[in-house]
Amino acid sequence: MTNKKIPGSEAVILSLIEENVDIIFGYPGGAMIPIYDSLYDYNDKIKHILTRHEQGLVHAADGYARVTGKPGVCFATSGPGATNLITGIANAMLDSIPMVCFTGQVGSSLLGTDAFQESDLIGITMPITKWNFQITKPEEVPGAIAKAFHIAQTGRPGPVLIDITKDAQMGLLDWKYEKCTKIRSYVPETPVDIAKVNEAAKIIDNAKKPLLLLGQGVIIGGAEKELQTFIEKTGIPAAWTLLGLSALPTEHPLNVGMLGMHGNYGPNLLTNDADVIIAVGMRFDDRVTGKVSTYANNAKIIHLEIDPAEINKIIKTDVAILGNSKKSLQMLTEAVKQNTHKEWIEEFKKCDEIEYEKVIKKDIHPTKPGLTMGEVVRMASEKTNHEAILVSDVGQHQMINARYFKFKHSRSHVSSGGLGTMGFGLPASMGAQMGAPDRIVFSVSGDGGFQMTIQELGTIAQNKLPIKIIILNNNFLGMVRQWQQLFFDKRYSFTQLHHNPDFITIAKGYGIEGSKVDKRESLDAAMQKMIDHNGPYVLEVTIEKEDNVFPMVPAGASVSDVMLEP
């Protein structure tokens, strides 16, 4: 590209075009006006989505990144605009989501003076970004952006933040852009050690009761086919974490369900019977392990992981295979012997039968008059032939979604895992829909979380995003209420939402169609009407107030102490 002098603000936009960015989620403000002025001339090359709140735009960028695998990009102004991004950045950091966030900043001569709408974004975001940088000179723009995109999407992905002073946006530079492919001292991916692969293969070949735990690292690494090939060769049952959902088809015969506090009975109970645990792209989160001192004591642990910091952080590893899971799984598959574990898998099937009778049947085929979360979620999945993308908010319904929605394709489940951010669902569904415009996207929220970002109905309406929005309404903060019921003698302290609004009237105020269902005989037709509707639609479903989520591993308990009922 021929060198020419341009303002730093235009260099930002041209840099994004060079990085093949097609969508920006943003909200303008005083410290970002020069960048927005430059964007005005390039709106035929980059689409900008104006959200209704900065938290909405950062979650939207997150949802976009999860379904596409590309970095989500967002803009916010200085001061309160920038600090409103913090929750979303922390959410992305914990869930390893690639994002590049841009914030405006006061002029460099005003830094540190407590100027109007000044905040120390570099200091604030240092613990919750993979990398951050403050641009104070226009000539720093191209190099900083190239570096940001390289860091965000290589190795273990994560959010990066670039803070740009106003004078850097307005000053001139000689324009030239070179993509970043290498940074000194930054080693995003360790070469796979064949000796470790062979050591692991011997353990796997001698295992009688092996169990594979798959996390989001399988999806991030694009290792879905390699995972399936590995388990089919070895006959090893596989259980997924919350963020590992959709990496393997739900109906695959070796998929034994979800791990964790509200996961399936078999993979939780039998973890402590396994003699080998193969963890792929997961970090042994406390919601998976329960009481660490009693976790998988009979098993040798093989950990396939791209981030060395996760090795031995929580669970002691016998063999660690560092590197990208796509490469390490290929090598491990070549090294292991063909095998089957029919008797071991039968133990999971027996657990499934117990769980079905004690939990699942009541959730999806209830005999009580009130509607359950499970029957609503399963119906949505079945009516779309398990082809849809599910975007979940946080709470009881999040666990029910994970248990009863089924998946055929990878990158079909979007949920806040590590941070557990209420209000995530609705704005994340905007990014998911824009990242996968040809697929049906469900946004499922509780009445509490939905109200945290309800204003994004305006963004959905303005952009005519055909999201199918389901509100599961029990007039409670359901997950906290469940804990209060089970462990605090039903002392429902400030968890009842006594005065929820008329959600359908609010939706119609934004020009979005909707309906409310409180009877089982009306659910099927209402669900079909929502799916068939050409455009966004809100379906509010009244749920039993004490509709709880089981199985449940109580906090601090062993995974084998999983409860099937109160």
Side-chain angles (χ1 to χ4, degrees):
M1 183 176 289
T2 304
N3 288 11
K4 61 176 181 177
K5 283 200 177 292
I6 61 171
S9 58
E10 186 177 5
V12 171
I13 307 304
L14 291 176
S15 298
L16 295 181
I17 292 171
E18 290 288 328
E19 292 291 344
N20 299 313
V21 172
D22 55 357
I23 295 176
I24 298 167
F25 300 91
Y27 203 102
M32 283 289 278
I33 288 176
I35 287 176
Y36 270 90
D37 186 65
S38 292
L39 180 60
Y40 189 86
D41 294 325
Y42 292 94
N43 60 14
D44 59 330
K45 294 185 178 179
I46 299 183
K47 187 178 182 68
H48 179 275
I49 302 299
L50 174 64
T51 62
R52 297 303 182 263
H53 191 280
E54 288 88 359
Q55 185 175 350
L57 68 87
V58 71
H59 289 329
D62 184 316
Y64 174 87
R66 292 189 200 228
V67 301
T68 64
K70 297 169 59 179
V73 177
C74 59
F75 284 178
T77 193
S78 64
T83 56
N84 280 342
L85 299 182
I86 300 303
T87 296
I89 294 172
N91 189 86
M93 185 67 176
L94 278 170
D95 286 357
S96 304
I97 305 303
M99 290 201 309
V100 181
C101 306
F102 293 85
T103 52
Q105 186 56 274
V106 299
S108 57
S109 64
L110 295 173
L111 290 172
T113 68
D114 295 330
F116 177 67
Q117 292 194 334
E118 180 195 2
S119 57
D120 178 10
L121 257 290
I122 298 302
I124 292 170
T125 62
M126 191 171 289
I128 56 168
T129 52
K130 194 175 174 186
W131 180 70
N132 65 12
F133 185 73
Q134 186 174 71
I135 294 175
T136 58
K137 300 174 182 177
E139 56 267 25
E140 295 174 328
V141 169
I145 293 177
K147 188 175 180 181
F149 275 87
H150 179 64
I151 292 172
Q153 59 192 322
T154 52
R156 181 179 181 174
V160 301
L161 179 134
I162 296 180
D163 193 46
I164 312 178
T165 62
K166 201 164 184 180
D167 51 325
Q169 297 175 42
M170 300 176 74
L172 298 177
L173 72 150
D174 292 320
W175 165 247
K176 184 181 180 183
Y177 195 82
E178 294 180 8
K179 286 196 175 186
C180 179
T181 57
K182 188 177 181 181
I183 300 171
R184 184 181 176 184
S185 79
Y186 172 58
V187 183
E189 189 177 311
T190 303
V192 180
D193 185 343
I194 188 62
K196 293 292 185 182
V197 171
N198 290 333
E199 186 181 350
K202 288 179 182 178
I203 295 172
I204 293 167
D205 288 342
N206 292 321
K208 302 300 181 186
K209 294 184 175 183
L211 176 61
L212 186 142
L213 316 181
L214 67 102
Q216 188 178 217
V218 173
I219 298 171
I220 292 170
E224 296 92 341
K225 288 183 180 178
E226 288 74 15
L227 172 80
Q228 194 162 323
T229 301
F230 174 77
I231 62 173
E232 288 172 357
K233 182 177 181 179
T234 59
I236 295 175
W240 50 25
T241 66
L242 177 67
L243 294 184
L245 260 67
S246 82
L248 185 69
T250 305
E251 300 292 354
H252 192 285
L254 291 170
N255 187 340
V256 294
M258 185 173 73
L259 301 158
M261 180 173 279
H262 293 289
N264 293 103
Y265 186 51
N268 277 326
L269 183 72
L270 297 176
T271 289
N272 287 343
D273 288 355
D275 58 0
V276 175
I277 297 283
I278 307 157
V280 185
M282 56 87 71
R283 59 188 178 89
F284 290 108
D285 176 80
D286 60 286
R287 290 296 168 108
V288 165
T289 64
K291 189 176 181 180
V292 172
S293 63
T294 63
Y295 181 79
N297 285 336
N298 297 317
K300 290 188 175 180
I301 307 295
I302 299 168
H303 198 172
L304 281 65
E305 174 60 49
I306 199 165
D307 185 357
E310 295 297 341
I311 303 298
N312 295 321
K313 187 174 83 173
I314 296 169
I315 300 297
K316 187 178 183 303
T317 301
D318 292 279
V319 181
I321 302 176
L322 287 169
N324 186 295
S325 60
K326 188 177 183 72
K327 296 176 184 176
S328 55
L329 278 171
Q330 282 177 334
M331 294 168 68
L332 192 57
T333 302
E334 292 172 4
V336 294
K337 296 176 182 176
Q338 190 88 25
N339 207 344
T340 58
H341 294 280
K342 292 181 180 178
E343 292 181 6
W344 173 229
I345 289 168
E346 283 301 314
E347 293 188 40
F348 287 90
K349 291 180 180 178
K350 290 175 184 176
C351 289
D352 289 344
E353 292 170 4
I354 294 169
E355 184 179 351
Y356 182 82
E357 287 300 319
K358 287 187 173 290
V359 180
I360 297 173
K361 187 164 69 172
K362 297 174 186 177
D363 279 349
I364 63 175
H365 302 297
T367 55
K368 292 181 179 180
L371 286 158
T372 67
M373 294 178 283
E375 64 182 313
V376 177
V377 170
R378 177 56 61 88
M379 182 181 288
S381 184
E382 289 177 346
K383 279 189 171 292
T384 51
N385 196 28
H386 316 303
E387 298 274 358
I389 292 173
L390 171 67
V391 183
S392 179
D393 210 277
V394 170
Q396 282 183 312
H397 67 279
Q398 178 187 29
M399 299 295 104
I400 290 290
N401 288 345
R403 288 177 54 75
Y404 296 122
F405 206 90
K406 294 184 178 182
F407 305 98
K408 290 183 177 179
H409 310 290
S410 186
R411 296 193 179 274
S412 295
H413 177 249
V414 176
S415 188
S416 170
L419 199 62
T421 306
M422 286 180 69
F424 172 82
L426 190 64
S429 71
M430 302 187 306
Q433 186 72 79
M434 300 205 73
D438 297 328
R439 296 184 65 186
I440 291 176
V441 174
F442 285 107
S443 172
V444 182
S445 298
D447 47 312
F450 186 73
Q451 291 180 78
M452 289 191 170
T453 49
I454 193 171
Q455 70 278 352
E456 297 309 329
L457 289 173
T459 310
I460 291 168
Q462 180 172 329
N463 292 280
K464 299 180 174 60
L465 301 176
I467 301 165
K468 311 307 175 186
I469 302 162
I470 300 175
I471 305 168
L472 299 175
N473 186 357
N474 58 9
N475 290 102
F476 265 103
L477 302 177
M479 187 61 86
V480 182
R481 184 211 53 74
Q482 177 169 332
W483 281 52
Q484 289 173 334
Q485 176 187 344
L486 297 177
F487 308 117
F488 292 87
D489 300 321
K490 294 189 176 182
R491 289 162 59 87
Y492 296 147
S493 179
F494 301 102
T495 47
Q496 187 165 5
L497 298 168
H498 290 285
H499 194 72
N500 272 332
D502 183 334
F503 292 114
I504 305 308
T505 296
I506 290 174
K508 289 182 177 178
Y510 283 104
I512 296 174
E513 289 298 311
S515 60
K516 182 175 181 178
V517 172
D518 54 15
K519 292 183 173 59
R520 183 163 291 114
E521 55 266 28
S522 305
L523 179 62
D524 188 287
M527 182 77 71
Q528 193 62 54
K529 182 179 180 182
M530 173 183 66
I531 292 168
D532 291 342
H533 181 73
N534 183 23
Y537 194 97
V538 175
L539 177 63
E540 178 188 353
V541 184
T542 304
I543 298 298
E544 283 272 6
K545 290 188 184 299
E546 294 192 350
D547 183 12
N548 289 329
V549 187
F550 287 99
M552 180 178 185
V553 179
S558 169
V559 288
S560 56
D561 294 330
V562 56
M563 299 165 54
L564 290 173
E565 52 195 4

